[in-house]
Amino acid sequence: KRQQHLQLASECKVVKKVKYLEVYITAKNIDLYKNNYEKLWKEIQEDILRWKKLNISFMGRISTIKMNVLPKMMFLFQTIPIVEDGSKREKWQKDLSNYIWAGKKTRIKLKVLCDSKERGGLNLPNLRLYHDANCLTWLRDWILLTNHKLLHLEGFNNRGGWHKYL
């Protein structure tokens, strides 16, 4: 009823979600994860299924993750820093590991794969570390309170911005 009144008064269609810069913005914070993270992961899984059919070397598979999967996930981690228990990210990392090893048994531990090349690793992106680093970047900005544009966007003089619900 309220939605219809708002729609008639503003002459604008009221929708449940809006897509802006490839990110779905929803009225409820709970739907942010479902509409963005899970949707993106389904797209990445479809890409992985196509790449599995190609004859790509072991190092080539790691490079496809660095060049295709990581930028998409980083963009989402930076725009919507949702803190959750990490079980989904562990599953995603296992899916990536399964792709790297072409469905065969792993021969090198994930920790070694994620290490830098100088330390004997293969520099595979660790989604947990990238996610945590992006969340901490937002936290740093909120604690220092130096970015005035962010403060106005967040509702600095209100009783807490939208970030208090994350």
Side-chain angles (χ1 to χ4, degrees), residues 48-62:
I48 288 175
L49 286 175
R50 272 184 287 149
W51 298 334
K52 280 184 177 180
K53 296 175 185 174
L54 302 174
N55 189 16
I56 303 174
S57 68
F58 178 74
M59 292 302 289
R61 289 175 185 263
I62 291 176

Side-chain angles (χ1 to χ4, degrees), residues 148-163:
H148 295 291
K149 290 181 181 179
L150 180 69
L151 293 176
H152 292 299
L153 176 71
E154 297 285 333
F156 175 61
N157 290 329
N158 300 340
R159 293 184 184 194
W162 64 268
H163 65 275

Side-chain angles (χ1 to χ4, degrees), residues 15-144:
V15 293
K16 292 185 179 182
K17 61 183 178 180
V18 176
K19 188 174 184 179
Y20 180 70
L21 296 176
E22 294 297 318
V23 173
Y24 287 100
I25 301 168
T26 59
K28 297 180 182 178
N29 289 334
I30 272 184
D31 295 334
L32 284 173
Y33 186 84
K34 182 179 74 175
N35 289 324
N36 292 293
Y37 280 80
E38 290 180 3
K39 183 176 182 277
L40 178 66
W41 189 249
K42 285 180 185 175
E43 292 174 11
I44 290 173
Q45 282 181 322
E46 291 171 4
D47 289 342
I48 288 175
L49 286 175
R50 272 184 287 149
W51 298 334
K52 280 184 177 180
K53 296 175 185 174
L54 302 174
N55 189 16
I56 303 174
S57 68
F58 178 74
M59 292 302 289
R61 289 175 185 263
I62 291 176
S63 295
T64 57
I65 290 173
K66 287 181 187 177
M67 291 184 288
N68 293 310
V69 175
L70 186 62
K72 292 176 184 178
M73 295 303 288
M74 285 287 292
F75 177 73
L76 204 55
F77 293 160
Q78 290 171 352
T79 53
I80 307 175
I82 296 176
V83 178
E84 44 97 20
D85 65 351
S87 60
K88 289 281 189 182
R89 284 191 314 259
E90 288 176 15
K91 183 192 176 303
W92 296 346
Q93 195 75 42
K94 285 181 183 177
D95 289 346
L96 293 179
S97 180
N98 187 22
Y99 164 69
I100 290 171
W101 292 105
K104 298 175 186 172
K105 185 179 177 185
T106 58
R107 297 181 185 157
I108 303 172
K109 287 186 179 182
L110 183 64
K111 186 176 180 180
V112 174
L113 286 175
C114 293
D115 251 351
S116 66
K117 288 187 177 183
E118 292 83 22
R119 295 180 54 181
L122 294 175
N123 216 14
L124 176 71
N126 187 335
L127 294 179
R128 183 183 61 83
L129 293 177
Y130 277 100
H131 179 267
D132 293 348
N134 283 301
C135 287
L136 289 174
T137 301
W138 277 82
L139 185 64
R140 182 199 65 204
D141 290 343
W142 290 334
I143 289 172
L144 296 178

Side-chain angles (χ1 to χ4, degrees), residues 3 6-15:
Q3 206 173 24
L6 181 64
Q7 193 167 341
L8 289 173
S10 66
E11 297 180 4
C12 293
K13 185 177 179 181
V14 177
V15 293

